[in-house]
């Protein structure tokens, strides 16, 4: 009889799952930190036109968004089918734009106010008269830095 027995099974050891909860929680916290929640919910139809010379804005926290377009089908019974302006989460009149700009300026730090940009997200089927009225109100509020938000592509696609 031998003192030492040979282990004939010699199979591979099982995978340790002791660190699995740590990995799951680390991924959970990562996605919680990285995920950006939507600021506003669109109440207007917003199919952006195409443009071939597009530049990306660097600091999106310095951008004030004004949406314009026909109300989405969900809101057409209440607001009709005429193109409207949306500021944050609510429909607004053209005359409300000045007050919106002043409120946005007050919510930012004083040294950042001169860098604020107004971005117009206008549906491609919206009448240019509405856009002109919005621009007039922006002039009155002295918000002269305007950005037209578009999709990158061939501008001739807008004619279809």
């Amino acid at each position: 009889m031998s003192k030492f027995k040979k282990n004939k099974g010699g199979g591979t050891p099982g995978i340790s799952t002791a660190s699995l909860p740590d990995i799951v929680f680390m991924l959970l916290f990562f996605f919680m930190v990285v995920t950006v929640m939507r600021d506003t919910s669109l109440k207007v139809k917003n199919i952006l036109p195409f443009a071939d010379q597009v530049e990306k804005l660097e600091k999106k926290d310095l951008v004030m968004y004004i949406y314009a377009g026909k109300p989405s089908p969900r809101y057409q019974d209440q607001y009709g089918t005429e193109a409207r302006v949306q500021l944050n989460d609510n429909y607004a009149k053209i005359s409300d734009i000045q007050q919106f700009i002043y409120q946005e300026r007050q919510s930012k730090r004083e040294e950042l106010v001169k860098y604020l940009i107004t971005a117009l997200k206008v549906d491609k089927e919206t009448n240019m008269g509405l856009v002109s009225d919005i621009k007039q109100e922006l002039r009155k509020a002295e918000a002269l830095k305007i950005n037209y938000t578009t999709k990158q592509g061939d501008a001739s696609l807008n004619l279809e």
Side-chain angles (χ1 to χ4, degrees):
M1 293 217 184
S2 67
K3 260 186 175 178
F4 301 104
K5 290 185 180 178
K6 290 185 180 176
N7 192 0
K8 293 184 180 181
T12 58
I15 298 173
S16 172
T17 59
S19 63
L20 191 60
D22 295 335
I23 294 170
V24 169
F25 282 114
M26 190 169 42
L27 285 172
L28 177 69
F29 287 127
F30 172 77
F31 286 114
M32 285 174 56
V33 169
V34 173
T35 303
V36 177
M37 301 306 249
R38 178 176 280 181
D39 290 339
T40 58
S41 56
L42 283 179
K43 294 183 177 182
V44 295
K45 182 178 168 188
N46 198 262
I47 300 172
L48 299 174
F50 290 98
D52 52 7
Q53 296 180 358
V54 178
E55 290 182 30
K56 197 165 193 158
L57 290 175
E58 295 298 321
K59 295 190 175 188
K60 293 194 177 194
D61 59 328
L62 297 176
V63 179
M64 303 173 285
Y65 292 100
I66 297 176
Y67 301 93
K70 293 180 181 178
S72 25
R74 179 177 171 186
Y75 299 101
Q76 284 182 355
D77 292 340
Q78 194 174 6
Y79 296 102
T81 57
E82 193 66 33
R84 301 183 62 92
V85 175
Q86 179 182 341
L87 305 173
N88 290 335
D89 278 339
N90 300 318
Y91 287 117
K93 299 179 217 159
I94 299 289
S95 57
D96 296 337
I97 293 175
Q98 260 186 298
Q99 186 64 30
F100 169 73
I101 297 295
Y102 294 142
Q103 287 174 349
E104 289 290 317
R105 284 180 182 159
Q106 287 180 345
S107 69
K108 305 291 183 199
R109 292 195 326 250
E110 190 174 333
E111 63 269 10
L112 297 177
V113 170
K114 61 184 173 185
Y115 299 112
L116 286 175
I117 298 172
T118 306
L120 299 179
K121 286 192 169 190
V122 181
D123 184 60
K124 68 180 186 178
E125 295 178 6
T126 301
N127 187 349
M128 193 59 195
L130 180 63
V131 177
S132 179
D133 292 344
I134 293 170
K135 286 173 54 177
Q136 289 295 331
E137 287 297 314
L138 291 174
R139 284 186 193 130
K140 291 177 188 175
E142 296 179 11
L144 303 177
K145 292 182 182 178
I146 299 175
N147 171 34
Y148 294 98
T149 306
T150 63
K151 289 190 277 186
Q152 188 164 359
D154 189 14
S156 63
L157 294 172
N158 295 326
L159 301 175
E160 296 175 356

